[in-house]
Amino acid sequence: MTVLTGRALRLTVLVGENDTVHRRPLYAEVVHRAHAAGLAGASVFRGIEGFGASSRIHTSRLLSLAEDLPVAVVVVDTEERVRAFLPQLDELLTDGLVTVEECEVVLHRASRRTPGGAAPGTGRGDGEADGTDRKGKNSL
């Protein structure tokens, strides 16, 4: 995993919830390509209301218009990595909006937790010291 600190770029991809590429949600394809490209992370946020280039308002408040809500995929990484990823977005998107903004990463941590809640190798939680769950306590 890439750990970021200091100056970075925030890439935001705004698309419709129903947009697809190769029968897969477009937002999911962006996330998977970002992961494959080694970017530091990506998150998808579903909007409750919005409009874009078509000027048609999409909202979750009215049943008749509750389709194709706005979705934002947000990626933060170094300028070099974000800019290297942009050609993939050009290939994927036929509609939508892509923005890039400078930002400062002040904290970027990842904790590797087992389903039992303990970090691997600690011997705490419901799993074994190696992070496995041999007794099945974390099963459904």
Side-chain angles (χ1 to χ4, degrees), residues 42-61:
S43 297
V44 178
F45 301 94
R46 184 176 187 227
I48 58 171
E49 190 167 20
F51 71 93
S54 71
S55 294
R56 181 170 175 230
I57 293 179
H58 303 271
T59 180
S60 62
R61 290 185 291 142

Side-chain angles (χ1 to χ4, degrees), residues 123-139:
R124 296 188 310 266
D126 292 334
E128 298 293 322
D130 64 359
T132 59
D133 181 23
R134 291 191 182 87
K135 295 181 183 177
K137 291 182 179 180
N138 298 317
S139 300

Side-chain angles (χ1 to χ4, degrees), residues 5-126:
T5 56
R7 292 185 61 190
L9 288 184
R10 179 178 49 245
L11 168 67
T12 305
V13 181
L14 299 165
V15 295
E17 181 178 35
N18 295 334
D19 293 348
T20 60
V21 60
H22 307 297
R23 291 189 233 153
R24 179 185 209 171
L26 179 57
Y27 61 84
E29 184 67 21
V30 172
V31 169
H32 287 272
R33 287 194 183 201
H35 184 261
L39 295 172
S43 297
V44 178
F45 301 94
R46 184 176 187 227
I48 58 171
E49 190 167 20
F51 71 93
S54 71
S55 294
R56 181 170 175 230
I57 293 179
H58 303 271
T59 180
S60 62
R61 290 185 291 142
L62 302 172
L63 290 177
S64 63
L65 298 175
E67 29 189 80
D68 204 25
L69 293 171
V71 174
V73 181
V74 178
V75 176
V76 177
D77 208 322
T78 64
E79 180 173 2
E80 180 182 353
R81 287 178 181 240
V82 168
R83 296 216 182 269
F85 185 66
L86 292 177
Q88 290 196 53
L89 295 177
D90 188 43
E91 173 189 324
L92 287 174
L93 273 68
T94 55
D95 293 316
L97 175 69
V98 177
T99 63
V100 176
E101 303 90 24
E102 289 185 10
C103 64
E104 181 182 358
V105 176
V106 294
L107 181 65
H108 183 217
R109 293 184 188 152
S111 123
R112 295 184 173 260
R113 299 272 179 202
T114 64
T122 64
R124 296 188 310 266
D126 292 334

